Amino acid sequence: MADLPPQLAELVDDFSAVGPKDRLQLLLELSQELPELPARYADAADSMEQVHECQSPLFLAVEVDASEKVRLFFSAPPEAPTTRGFASIMHTGLDGESAADVLAVPDDFYIALGLGEAVSPLRLRGMAAMLSRIKKQVRALTA
Amino acid sequence: MTDRPVSVPGTIVGRMALPADTDPKLADYAHPERLVTTEWLAANLGTDGLVVVESDEDVLLYDTGHIPGAVKVDWHTELNDPVTRDYVDGARFAEICGERGIGRDTTVVFYGDRNNWWATYALWVFALFGHADVRILDGGRAKWVAEGREMTTEQPKPTTVEYPVVERDDVTLRAFKDDVLSHLDKVKAGSGALVDVRSPGEYSGELLHMPDYPQEGAVRGGHIPGAASVPWARAAAEDATFKSRADLEAIYLTEQGLSADDDVVAYCRIGERSSHTWFVLTHLLGFGKVRNYDGSWTEWGNAVRVPVVQGSERG
């Protein structure tokens, strides 16, 4: 996957290096590392976009700073660890990358994580939706 | 109580391994032995002959902390066949049970997130294999957590036991599309009923999937002719327990006009929400014949030339 930003490529390597059970464990660890929302979003869920394709409530906000670096913010409840894990993959892999690099991530990159067997393809749709909504917002903010 | 064969419709006949919970709230239900309270479970954890199973919508929720000793069964990755759209076969089911320390006589208590939505689904699949003693933790995971009861991330290491290879019974508790088609005449004649447990928007056809959930691919929206609209979560109280028998009767009998001797088919989108209603009608209200149509709207809404009604009327 030559087109992936380095952190995302590393995650893909980590996931594909282990079996399905350990992939779940990795996803669980990532779900615990999802950063808290900064104060400006903490009390303003309305200003965030809901990702309806996720089975549990997930809100996301995208910012692009003056140097075209993308900043990502996610909010998902602790009782939705899978959704938090997906969000954490996006955060670890894409936060701080340039708008152009985020837009260049292949829409189906998540297939390489090999989570289909461990999580089920249906649940994985949430991840595809997250990326497409992130890209849409990046496009709007850089237009 | 220990020696009393469980009297339930269909093929579920067996002996209870553990005494039933005698809590007075449960006593009102038609089959109180199908529920246990959080108090009962806390007092019986670790008893021989009992296995607690967590089944959640979220595949990782169990791993963030679960009831001590509980094992996990995931509906997507474990109860469904990975290739054919069907449940696992008897051989695979025997492995799933055996490796979790579940024998044929084990008392299995299911609990989970979202008002026990997935717990009742797992229980229904166990019932297809005729596992006799299956029960639901009333209030599920939410009530256990809200009461501040013990949770752990420690993985249990059950000793594998022998579980017989049992042929699944796909007739008594399960309906297929052709069964539903031939059921339509009964619905018209008033001797049969259909219960659509999806949201009002899915029932009327405005939505092709659950609000806030992914589109799961139905090309037509609406409901099966004659189906009553009773969203499944109406059977759940605020604290995730089941509503009282009187409250449930007010909904299903008085308001919807169903009766316990009706031949009922329940459906939703893939058969999970309707397992919850199947549990309510069968075990809490004592209906004699309730089948779950697991093909549900993702089959019916894609099938060629089956009748569909749009709008809020039963049709």
Side-chain angles (χ1 to χ4, degrees), chain A residues 24-25 27-28 31-32 50-57 78-85 116-120 122-123 125, chain B residues 56-64 72 74-78 113-114 118 141 155 209 211-217 269-270:
Chain A
L24 267 192
Q25 186 57 37
L27 191 63
L28 181 65
S31 78
Q32 290 154 351
Q50 182 168 7
V51 181
H52 290 277
E53 295 84 352
C54 286
Q55 293 205 337
S56 298
E79 62 273 16
T82 301
T83 298
R84 288 179 64 86
E117 195 185 331
V119 170
S120 93
L122 188 60
R123 286 172 171 138
R125 289 186 193 183
Chain B
D56 296 314
E57 174 178 284
D58 193 302
V59 66
L60 279 175
L61 188 54
Y62 166 92
D63 303 275
T64 67
K72 161 168 131 179
D74 184 65
W75 68 282
H76 260 308
T77 58
E78 285 165 338
D113 59 357
R114 303 196 169 238
W118 307 94
R141 184 181 166 101
Q155 296 284 341
H209 55 93
D212 300 340
Y213 275 68
Q215 157 66 283
E216 281 170 25
R269 174 188 53 116
I270 54 169

Side-chain angles (χ1 to χ4, degrees), chain A residues 42-137:
Chain A
D43 303 315
D46 309 355
S47 66
M48 302 180 79
E49 176 177 357
Q50 182 168 7
V51 181
H52 290 277
E53 295 84 352
C54 286
Q55 293 205 337
S56 298
L58 174 88
F59 293 88
L60 99 92
V62 180
E63 295 175 3
V64 178
D65 67 18
S67 57
E68 299 255 306
K69 296 270 182 240
V70 174
R71 302 300 316 275
L72 299 174
F73 305 92
F74 297 93
S75 169
E79 62 273 16
T82 301
T83 298
R84 288 179 64 86
F86 292 166
S88 191
I89 288 173
M90 294 296 164
H91 189 268
T92 308
L94 299 179
D95 187 63
E97 293 297 329
S98 73
D101 286 347
V102 170
L103 291 174
V105 173
D107 291 336
D108 61 354
F109 89 94
Y110 64 91
I111 293 169
L113 296 167
L115 278 166
E117 195 185 331
V119 170
S120 93
L122 188 60
R123 286 172 171 138
L124 271 183
R125 289 186 193 183
M127 181 119 68
M130 250 181 244
L131 179 61
S132 97
R133 284 170 188 259
I134 289 168
K135 285 188 180 180
K136 204 171 145 199
Q137 286 211 28

Side-chain angles (χ1 to χ4, degrees), chain B residues 268-309:
Chain B
C268 56
R269 174 188 53 116
I270 54 169
E272 13 69 274
R273 283 174 285 178
S274 43
S275 312
H276 191 272
T277 299
W278 167 84
F279 183 87
V280 168
L281 295 177
T282 303
H283 293 310
L284 305 187
L285 293 179
F287 278 48
K289 187 172 185 190
V290 185
R291 287 172 293 166
N292 182 20
Y293 169 38
D294 58 275
S296 277
W297 201 257
T298 51
E299 179 177 41
W300 198 272
N302 287 314
V304 176
R305 266 201 348 192
V306 297
V308 170
V309 173

Side-chain angles (χ1 to χ4, degrees), chain B residues 139-209:
Chain B
R141 184 181 166 101
K143 186 156 191 278
W144 183 274
V145 170
E147 291 170 347
R149 297 184 188 273
E150 192 185 349
M151 298 286 274
T152 180
T153 52
E154 195 180 314
Q155 296 284 341
K157 296 186 179 57
T159 311
T160 299
V161 300
E162 208 44 52
Y163 194 94
V165 175
V166 183
E167 198 186 339
R168 206 177 55 220
D169 174 358
D170 281 342
V171 175
T172 315
L173 307 176
R174 189 177 185 193
F176 295 96
K177 179 170 133 267
D178 288 346
D179 301 323
V180 178
L181 277 169
S182 58
H183 187 69
L184 294 179
D185 289 336
K186 273 191 165 180
V187 175
K188 252 187 212 150
S191 61
L194 274 163
V195 181
D196 184 319
V197 314
R198 298 172 302 157
S199 59
E202 291 171 275
Y203 179 85
S204 67
E206 286 159 48
L207 286 176
L208 283 169
H209 55 93

